[in-house]
Amino acid sequence: MQLWWVEKYKKILNQLSNYEIIDSSKEKQVHCYPSAIVGLYSHGELTVDPSRTPNSYSMLDFARLIRRAYFLDRDFAKNLAAGGKTKPRLLIIARNQTRKIVNVGEVVAMGDELGFEVVVSDPASHTTVDGIARLVNSIDVMIGVHGAGLTNQIFLPTNAVLIQIVPFGNLEKFAEYDYGFAAKNMMLQYLQYSISEEESTLIDIYPRDHPVFRDPKSIHRQGWAKIDEIYLRQQSVKLNLPRFRPVLKRALELLT
C-alpha cells in the first residue's frame, strides 16, 4: 500500500466503504466485516458496465459519487438558452511536454472572441485533487489533446462539452475508446477533432513523403511502442484556427 496514493484519493476511497482504510500487510489483529470485495477487476478504460454492477450502477452514477466526494456544487453545465450575464467557461488542458497546443494563445483569443471565459490550466500543476476538481466542475466546455489529462472529465458537470483533439496518426479509435465513450456514458456532450498533417509538429521532424505521413498503418504494424514513440511522444499540435473554429461554435450550440 502506498500511503501517498491513499492520501491523494482518500475522499474517493471513503465513499466506497464505511470502514477505516487499513494496510493489511502490517495488521496483526483480526478484522471482522459483514462482507468484503477482494481484488480488482475492470470493465474497460474509464468505464462502468451497468449490466455487471449491483443496482445497475453506471459511469453517470460514478461521476455523481465523485462530485459528492469533493463537495462539487455544479450538477449541470450552463444552459445558454436560459440567459444570464455570465459567460460559459472554457478550459484548455495545457501539457508541458508532448502533445502541447503550441499556439494556445491564439486559441485563447479565438475563444474569447466567440464569447467564452477562457482558462488554461495544467492538471499536473495542482498539488491536490481538490484543486483541479473544483476548477473542472466550474467549466462548461473542456478542450484537451488526447492524453491522461482528459480523465479530469470526471469532474465536469452533466451536459458539459468535452472536445478531444486527436493527434495525427490514425489514432481516432484509440481516442474514442479511451475518453469518448466515457464522456457519453457520463452524459457529457462529446466532440472529437482530428488534426491534419499541417497541424502536426511532426512536419518539422519527418519529410512529407515519410511513412509517418503517407502510411501510418505501417507504423501501427510495428507495435504500440512505435506508435507511442512517434505519434504520442514526438508530436505536438498547432491548431488551424479557421478549421477549428466551427468546433468551438458547435460547442456553444450544444450548451443551448
Side-chain angles (χ1 to χ4, degrees):
M1 187 172 85
Q2 300 295 322
L3 290 177
W4 69 266
W5 189 90
V6 170
E7 191 60 34
K8 182 175 182 179
Y9 297 109
K10 192 170 185 178
K11 288 185 177 179
I12 298 174
L13 296 172
N14 284 341
Q15 295 291 317
L16 304 180
S17 175
N18 293 323
Y19 299 96
E20 288 295 316
I21 298 169
I22 62 171
D23 184 349
S24 59
S25 65
K26 296 180 180 178
E27 284 294 309
K28 299 184 183 302
Q29 58 181 311
V30 175
H31 294 266
C32 297
Y33 302 105
S35 64
I37 298 171
V38 180
L40 300 174
Y41 58 92
S42 171
H43 295 176
E45 299 283 350
L46 203 59
T47 297
V48 175
D49 180 352
S51 70
R52 298 171 60 188
T53 62
N55 302 314
S56 299
Y57 289 130
S58 67
M59 275 300 293
L60 181 58
D61 293 307
F62 183 64
R64 289 168 175 162
L65 178 145
I66 295 294
R67 286 202 291 267
R68 185 167 67 246
Y70 289 98
F71 302 99
L72 302 178
D73 297 329
R74 292 184 80 217
D75 288 327
F76 294 94
K78 184 176 178 61
N79 185 343
L80 297 180
K85 296 181 179 180
T86 60
K87 296 180 178 181
R89 283 169 61 84
L90 170 67
L91 171 64
I92 301 174
I93 297 289
R95 295 177 62 94
N96 290 325
Q97 297 180 7
T98 61
R99 282 163 282 150
K100 294 182 293 186
I101 300 176
V102 297
N103 60 334
V104 67
E106 295 176 337
V107 180
V108 169
M110 183 171 68
D112 183 64
E113 177 197 341
L114 289 173
F116 287 102
E117 177 189 345
V118 186
V119 180
V120 180
S121 181
D122 175 8
S125 67
H126 291 263
T127 56
T128 65
V129 178
D130 299 70
I132 189 64
R134 284 193 299 272
L135 171 62
V136 174
N137 187 245
S138 75
I139 296 301
D140 302 293
V141 178
M142 188 170 89
I143 298 173
V145 180
H146 175 71
L150 293 183
T151 58
N152 291 293
Q153 65 177 284
I154 194 74
F155 304 120
L156 284 170
T158 303
N159 214 43
V161 182
L162 175 68
I163 303 173
Q164 179 173 197
I165 298 171
V166 184
F168 182 81
N170 275 14
L171 302 177
E172 285 75 14
K173 289 184 178 179
F174 294 118
E176 186 170 24
Y177 178 74
D178 285 346
Y179 303 109
F181 292 156
K184 296 169 187 176
N185 290 336
M186 287 188 289
M187 301 298 288
L188 301 177
Q189 306 193 74
Y190 179 68
L191 298 173
Q192 187 163 296
Y193 177 83
S194 297
I195 72 168
S196 63
E197 291 181 25
E198 288 73 20
E199 294 172 282
S200 171
T201 58
L202 290 175
I203 62 175
D204 300 324
I205 303 173
Y206 298 94
R208 299 300 283 274
D209 60 352
H210 194 281
V212 163
F213 297 113
R214 293 293 160 256
D215 190 13
K217 289 183 179 179
S218 69
I219 306 298
H220 283 238
R221 285 194 292 269
Q222 296 178 51
W224 177 253
K226 203 66 177 178
I227 297 171
D228 181 56
E229 175 193 342
I230 295 175
Y231 293 125
L232 297 182
R233 298 191 182 277
Q234 293 181 7
Q235 183 170 198
S236 286
V237 172
K238 185 176 182 180
L239 289 174
N240 179 322
L241 299 186
R243 186 169 181 260
F244 187 65
R245 186 185 184 92
V247 180
L248 276 184
K249 292 180 73 173
R250 177 58 181 156
L252 282 171
E253 293 171 0
L254 290 173
L255 291 175
T256 58

